[in-house]
Amino acid sequence: MIPWAEPAAAHGSIVDPAARNYGCWLRWGHDHLNPNMANQDPMCWQAWRDNPNAMWNWNGLYRDNVRGNHQAAVPNGQLCSGGNTENGRYRSMDTVGNWQATDIGSNFTVRLYDQASHGADYFRIYVTRQGFDPTRQSLNWSDLELVRETGRYAPAQNISINVNTQGRSGRHIVYTVWQASHMDQTYYFCSDVNFR
């Protein structure tokens, strides 16, 4: 079940494994002033303190007019914020630390909730290389390996993409690039995972 929000604009996000800001909204949106968050979920705590709108607008982490040149639009160290898109609203997503991670296996499914049913020209799904430590290292393009690239998806609210990997264990980041179909609008998502 997808929780509903009232963000300023309806777009979408990776809901499983949850993108960082979606996960923070899912866990704390109903209780975001709770001081216990500081100890229970410190990465979300710093994100809420930096800019609560990054979580209220969990479905707006995108850039327009990238023209497929993702590495030029999104610099190293800023991959989780989409290159500090939206005037830096999502910059706290780039903060290095122990983000809550979703346990997954070598074969897993990435699920997008596309609230506005934009559809997709393609998805590119990357996973960090074995040995990368997301709790201590900022994310660079060279840390990623492309594990799945799709073709087009018709407009729908729920899209599932099966991903097959091998040779990974422990903490990683699943990085998803979603090129929407309705215009040149690209979404960038960091999902923290733990390969079992």
Side-chain angles (χ1 to χ4, degrees):
M1 181 171 154
I2 303 298
W4 296 96
E6 297 297 333
H11 299 289
S13 186
I14 298 300
V15 297
D16 187 26
R20 286 179 173 176
N21 62 326
Y22 178 79
C24 289
W25 175 81
L26 187 64
R27 291 190 296 275
W28 297 100
H30 66 288
D31 199 20
H32 66 282
L33 298 177
N34 187 335
N36 292 328
M37 189 193 328
N39 293 320
Q40 295 175 14
D41 200 347
M43 299 312 296
C44 284
W45 174 253
Q46 65 83 31
W48 279 101
R49 290 174 58 91
D50 180 55
N51 192 333
N53 285 326
M55 275 61 67
W56 296 128
N57 291 282
W58 53 264
N59 57 7
L61 205 166
Y62 65 86
R63 298 186 73 88
D64 288 329
N65 304 314
V66 172
R67 295 180 178 83
N69 197 354
H70 305 295
Q71 292 189 36
V74 180
N76 285 329
Q78 296 179 12
L79 275 69
C80 298
S81 68
N84 279 329
T85 192
E86 298 294 316
N87 296 314
R89 175 190 294 162
Y90 300 96
R91 65 180 171 250
S92 60
M93 301 302 109
D94 292 317
T95 303
V96 176
N98 190 20
W99 291 86
Q100 285 199 18
T102 302
D103 288 337
I104 62 173
S106 296
N107 302 321
F108 61 97
T109 302
V110 170
R111 292 182 174 86
L112 171 81
Y113 177 55
D114 181 1
Q115 193 171 16
S117 298
H118 291 320
D121 287 345
Y122 59 82
F123 290 90
R124 291 181 185 160
I125 301 172
Y126 302 82
V127 177
T128 48
R129 299 175 188 279
Q130 190 65 28
F132 175 81
D133 184 353
T135 69
R136 298 182 181 193
Q137 297 172 262
S138 62
L139 184 62
N140 297 325
W141 286 102
S142 61
D143 298 318
L144 297 171
E145 292 181 343
L146 182 64
V147 294
R148 178 81 197 273
E149 183 167 3
T150 75
R152 294 180 61 84
Y153 280 80
Q157 287 197 331
N158 296 289
I159 295 175
S160 296
I161 305 158
N162 294 325
V163 180
N164 301 311
T165 63
Q166 56 183 322
R168 287 178 175 80
S169 61
R171 291 294 299 272
H172 283 271
I173 294 173
V174 174
Y175 189 66
T176 304
V177 176
W178 165 31
Q179 180 64 52
S181 292
H182 70 298
M183 61 182 289
D184 187 359
Q185 190 172 81
T186 312
Y187 295 74
Y188 302 94
F189 306 110
C190 282
S191 300
D192 294 274
V193 299
N194 182 52
F195 281 95
R196 299 185 303 262

